[in-house]
Amino acid sequence: MHDTQKTTLQYVADVCFPIALYYVVSNIALYVINFIVQYVAERFFADGTAWVIRNAAALQVADNAAAMCLGFFCVRRAFLSETAAGGEPVLVAPRRVAAGWLLEGAQKRKKDWFWYIPLLLSGTGAALALNFLAGIIQAASRDAAYVQVAKTQYAVPLLLGLIAYGIVSPIVEEGVFRGILYLKCRRYFGRRLPAALLSALLFGILHGNMVQGVYGFVMGMIMIWFYERYDSFLAPVIVHAASNISVFLISFANGGRFDGSSGGSVGDDGAFGSTSTTVIWCVVCAAVSVFSALFIVKWKKRTAAEEKS
């Protein structure tokens, strides 16, 4: 419920505090976990230092996933307040609220689970199209920071990548940026567009480089659109997970390249062949995304009309 007695500064603090808390805790946790792993490896194993160096990328991704979970744990009440309690404070044990919210959501989704198929197609198509586009315009070659990040992200074992990018990242990031930031801003602004723009913009900025920043902003807007259409937190989580997994699997299969956006090059040596082939894939994925989204819009309009009649 909108509290008209709050000042602008209080609104800003209410929105920013859980986001800041998440990042402070997760960064401190990442530093501590890195220190513990390195200390244990060097202290108790003969080739511990060499092992840490050999597995630096995998350790960084695993440590970051663990740190994200710890950070999200500290803001779980703010998340449940927005998603499960309609903005009201969570005064009981968060696990009880979460259990009831998840059970209620599962019961609602039981009858209309098949409508998540076009959601998967649209979200995954959009993510792949954006990555193909990044390869076509050689975005990675213009952003050294992204190339370094990509080398780490895709140089991990398959199972670790699926867990980190397909489970941890979608739940935590959607929980922070859509579950907390977007919903709080929507309540306070009273409008969806400013809240969506702010949430997506911050989501993009905090990726730390231009390529992922632009990608994060666009996908952030897309995931909010799905959130509103499905009126379910599950929708953006599914899109986020499917997008991450599809891009990771393609990059993993091609040695850490995704048509240039992961450090490869577009052309005859690109992950998907010539530039013209990449353009075709980009157009196909974009078309799948757009037509699936139009199908969702049509379905929602028909559902709304049936409920009124």
Side-chain angles (χ1 to χ4, degrees):
M1 183 178 296
H2 187 78
D3 185 358
T4 57
Q5 295 182 347
K6 281 187 176 181
T7 65
T8 301
L9 184 60
Q10 287 174 320
Y11 287 136
V12 172
D14 188 40
V15 171
C16 294
F17 177 75
I19 310 302
L21 177 62
Y22 164 76
Y23 272 97
V24 169
V25 172
S26 60
N27 278 282
I28 292 175
L30 179 59
Y31 176 82
V32 173
I33 293 170
N34 285 336
F35 175 80
I36 292 174
V37 170
Q38 188 166 351
Y39 175 80
V40 170
E42 294 176 353
R43 178 70 174 79
F44 297 102
F45 298 94
D47 63 339
T49 302
W51 179 82
V52 169
I53 295 173
R54 286 196 308 269
N55 297 279
L59 287 173
Q60 184 174 339
V61 171
D63 293 351
N64 188 59
M68 290 174 67
C69 292
L70 290 172
F72 188 62
F73 179 81
C74 292
V75 297
R76 67 195 186 285
R77 284 185 181 271
F79 167 74
L80 290 171
S81 172
E82 298 300 326
T83 56
E88 297 297 327
V90 174
L91 303 177
V92 298
R95 63 179 180 275
R96 291 175 55 190
V97 178
W101 176 62
L102 291 172
L103 180 60
E104 181 182 0
Q107 292 174 343
K108 289 182 179 179
R109 303 285 83 83
K110 189 182 298 184
K111 294 182 179 180
D112 59 0
W113 63 267
F114 46 86
W115 292 113
Y116 283 83
I117 296 175
L119 169 77
L120 281 170
L121 292 174
S122 184
T124 305
L128 293 177
L130 288 170
N131 276 271
F132 282 125
L133 180 61
I136 293 169
I137 65 176
Q138 292 285 294
S141 64
R142 300 180 177 89
D143 192 345
Y146 173 67
V147 173
Q148 187 61 41
V149 171
K151 287 180 180 179
T152 300
Q153 286 184 331
Y154 300 120
V156 299
L158 180 60
L159 181 58
L160 174 59
L162 293 177
I163 293 173
Y165 306 137
I167 299 176
V168 176
S169 179
I171 293 175
V172 173
E173 291 186 342
E174 291 308 304
V176 171
F177 289 97
R178 258 60 71 181
I180 298 176
L181 180 59
Y182 170 66
L183 292 183
K184 277 184 177 292
C185 290
R186 190 182 67 177
R187 282 197 298 113
Y188 292 151
F189 291 152
R191 292 183 295 172
R192 296 174 182 174
L193 183 57
L197 289 171
L198 180 60
S199 172
L201 182 62
L202 189 58
F203 181 57
I205 290 173
L206 290 174
H207 275 81
N209 60 77
M210 183 60 69
V211 173
Q212 287 184 314
V214 174
Y215 175 81
F217 173 77
V218 176
M219 288 303 297
M221 294 294 291
I222 289 172
M223 286 184 283
I224 288 171
W225 188 84
F226 285 125
Y227 197 159
E228 293 291 348
R229 290 299 176 278
Y230 280 77
D231 190 27
S232 170
F233 178 71
L234 181 61
V237 170
I238 288 177
V239 172
H240 198 144
S243 303
N244 282 2
I245 289 172
S246 60
V247 173
F248 171 71
L249 288 178
I250 292 174
S251 300
F252 183 87
N254 286 281
R257 296 179 301 158
F258 194 111
D259 238 26
S261 60
S262 298
S265 60
V266 179
D268 294 336
D269 296 328
F272 284 81
S274 66
T275 302
S276 59
T277 302
T278 306
V279 171
I280 293 172
W281 275 107
C282 182
V283 171
V284 169
C285 289
V288 169
S289 178
V290 170
F291 283 112
S292 297
L294 291 175
F295 181 82
I296 292 170
V297 171
K298 184 177 180 180
W299 161 58
K300 284 294 183 180
K301 287 182 177 179
R302 187 179 67 182
T303 302
E306 290 175 352
E307 291 176 352
K308 289 181 180 180
S309 61

